[in-house]
Amino acid sequence: QFGLPYLLVGRIHLPFVDVYGVDRKDDLAFVANGLGGVQVIDISNLNAPYIVGFIKPNGYARDVKINGDYAFIAASHEGIVVVDISNPNLPIIAVLDTLGVANRLQVVGDTLYVTDMSGDGDISQLNIINIQDPLYPKLERTVALEPAREDFVSDGVYDVYVSGNKAYVSVHYSDQEDKQTQTVVEVID
């Protein structure tokens, strides 16, 4: 173990090779599995986890966050997909298009923060969504994140962390030849 305090206890193979966000509620793990949607895994016995279901949005599943009885999925071009996880059928109950490529999520209270990658040449942005009523998520604010230099283009907002009244987002910029030139953390008040 070379001094590491953790031991590998269990392992499960997923249907698709891409694995992104993961969240947990009780004995269930929810794993964003790209084209495989969100895999729902029973982890009550860590030595033998197994897949009990999946949620398949129309978009590529990039992240998942659980808030109460609902899963919020960043589903790329489809936007945000809301799923009722209290129902064993895992029905999709709402979809909200963020008009970009929904990438990463953070939930703080009744607010969902969603990063959008620029995709299709659009501006990268942070979306602030009211999820007080998960059946009707409401886009409250969009913050466009544009490069400080005219010769840079935004590749996307990749992650978000919210603390207090500030959101911290990581943004990648490229030059006109699509070579990555700068990665910054933007602070949004």
Side-chain angles (χ1 to χ4, degrees), residues 110-159:
D110 289 333
T111 304
L112 177 66
Y113 296 84
V114 183
T115 64
D116 270 351
M117 297 190 317
S118 55
D120 302 329
D122 294 332
I123 294 173
S124 300
Q125 60 193 23
L126 175 67
N127 302 289
I128 302 166
I129 300 170
N130 181 322
I131 56 170
Q132 185 173 9
D133 182 354
L135 287 170
Y136 302 101
K138 180 181 174 191
L139 181 62
E140 295 211 333
R141 182 176 171 207
T142 298
V143 179
L145 296 163
E146 300 178 24
R149 290 178 44 176
E150 289 184 24
D151 58 331
F152 284 1
V153 294
S154 179
D155 292 330
V157 182
Y158 282 82
D159 207 354

Side-chain angles (χ1 to χ4, degrees), residues 12-23 29-41 50-65 71-76 102-105:
I12 188 164
H13 294 279
L14 298 173
F16 288 82
V17 296
D18 297 314
V19 177
Y20 297 99
V22 62
D23 206 352
F30 296 79
V31 181
N33 191 210
L35 292 172
V38 173
Q39 300 297 316
V40 183
I41 302 167
Y50 60 96
I51 295 173
V52 294
F54 67 95
I55 304 161
K56 184 62 181 102
N58 292 326
Y60 189 87
R62 295 180 179 276
D63 200 4
V64 58
K65 295 294 180 206
F72 295 88
I73 302 168
S76 297
N103 191 41
R104 293 284 184 245
L105 309 172

